[in-house]
Amino acid sequence: MCQPRVDRSVGSPSLEDSDIRIEKKMELEGKTVEVLAEEQNEQDASLITGRLSNNAVVHFPGDTSMIGNLYMVKLVECKGFYYIGEVVADA
C-alpha cells in the first residue's frame, strides 16, 4: 500500500497570509512611532534607513549624523515591505 504524500508546504506562507501581513503593516500607516536610524539609504543618499521595534524598515529624509539615534517618525506611506516616513522629533 502506498503512503500518502507529505505536504511540504506546511508552515510556508500562503498568499492569504501575505495579504494579512500587509494589512497589519498598513495599520501603522499615519501613526508616529520610534525608529532607530541605521544607515544611509543605498538608492537615495538623501534618505536614512531605520527600523521599528518590530524590525520593519522605514526610509525617511535625513543625513548620516542621524545614524545610531532614535527618532519619532510619522509613517506617511506603507509600500508593502517598507514605510516612507518623516521625522517628527528626537525620541
Side-chain angles (χ1 to χ4, degrees):
M1 187 174 215
C2 292
Q3 294 292 324
R5 294 185 70 178
V6 175
D7 182 2
R8 298 191 194 289
S9 67
V10 173
S12 299
S14 69
L15 189 55
E16 183 177 309
D17 291 339
S18 180
D19 290 344
I20 291 169
R21 270 185 260 137
I22 290 171
E23 284 177 22
K24 292 290 269 179
K25 282 189 169 194
M26 289 185 77
E27 287 176 3
L28 289 176
E29 191 174 271
K31 295 196 166 79
T32 299
V33 295
E34 189 174 64
V35 175
L36 173 62
E38 290 190 327
E39 63 185 2
Q40 188 174 36
N41 185 284
E42 294 175 3
Q43 284 78 37
D44 185 343
S46 70
L47 297 176
I48 294 295
T49 298
R51 291 194 184 263
L52 305 179
S53 61
N54 68 0
N55 215 29
V57 174
V58 184
H59 304 295
F60 54 92
D63 59 55
T64 56
S65 69
M66 300 171 80
I67 295 171
N69 297 312
L70 294 170
Y71 296 92
M72 296 306 294
V73 175
K74 181 176 181 181
L75 303 178
V76 177
E77 185 177 1
C78 177
K79 295 287 194 174
F81 296 104
Y82 64 92
Y83 294 96
I84 299 295
E86 55 190 34
V87 176
V88 176
D90 293 353

